[in-house]
Amino acid sequence: NVKSYFSKAGGSIVPSGSLEFMFERKAVFEIAQSDAIDMEQLELDLIDAGLDEVEAENDAIFIYGDYTNFGTLATALEEMKIEISRSSLKRFPTTPIQLSDEQMEEVEKLLDKIEDDEDVQAVYTNIE
């Protein structure tokens, strides 16, 4: 199905792994923000477990590390008795691009079709 979506949009499928260089794989953990959590101490405690970055957003704290450190970060959070709301492996673009409104409209149609397909598990783009 995905191949037909690309063909109809004037695109094509490339060999598996040929676009890996365009994305960085990261372990991502989301925890609830609370007064009991000191962001600086959290960062210091997780550095040895492979922490790359800690970011607070709204009522959540996002913890990022290299995908190879997923297990060590999860174990460290469990040992600290911090409840993990969500955890996953995600891909982040290394070279984001910008599209015109017209181009974006076409791409959004394609992305909607792909995301609606029941066999598609995740969709990643390098669009800002």
Side-chain angles (χ1 to χ4, degrees), residues 16-74:
S16 181
S18 62
L19 299 176
E20 280 291 318
F21 72 96
M22 295 178 71
F23 295 91
E24 185 175 19
R25 292 175 66 189
K26 294 269 186 184
V28 181
F29 296 88
E30 180 182 341
I31 61 174
Q33 193 168 24
S34 72
D35 293 335
I37 297 176
D38 177 352
M39 292 286 288
E40 288 181 28
Q41 189 60 47
L42 177 67
E43 191 170 357
L44 290 173
D45 291 343
L46 292 176
I47 285 176
D48 288 339
L51 175 75
D52 283 344
E53 182 181 356
V54 175
E55 186 177 274
E57 189 177 301
N58 300 325
D59 293 334
I61 297 172
F62 293 93
I63 297 162
Y64 300 95
D66 189 75
Y67 76 99
T68 59
N69 295 323
F70 186 90
T72 54
L73 282 166

